[in-house]
Amino acid sequence: MGRLGTTEIILIIFAITLLFGGKKIPELMKGIGNGIKEFKKASKEKEDEKKT
């Protein structure tokens, strides 16, 4: 329990496609990527701030 199998992953992808549509998914992934990049940048700045 707790692990996702192939069937579950396929169902999740299918549900996301139905909810957002094929055209919105690339925009959604781009937004998530930008968010992750900003988070990493902020955490790196916080570490640099702690060192000084």
Side-chain angles (χ1 to χ4, degrees), residues 10-45:
I10 291 171
L11 287 174
I12 291 169
I13 291 171
F14 181 71
I16 289 171
T17 305
L18 283 177
L19 287 173
F20 295 107
K23 294 181 180 180
K24 291 284 186 180
I25 292 175
E27 294 174 18
L28 180 66
M29 292 298 129
K30 184 178 178 183
I32 291 171
N34 287 338
I36 291 171
K37 189 187 325 180
E38 289 295 320
F39 177 77
K40 287 182 180 179
K41 181 181 173 185
S43 64
K44 185 175 188 280
E45 288 176 356

Side-chain angles (χ1 to χ4, degrees), residues 3-15:
R3 289 191 171 179
L4 291 177
T6 307
T7 307
E8 289 86 3
I9 293 172
I10 291 171
L11 287 174
I12 291 169
I13 291 171
F14 181 71

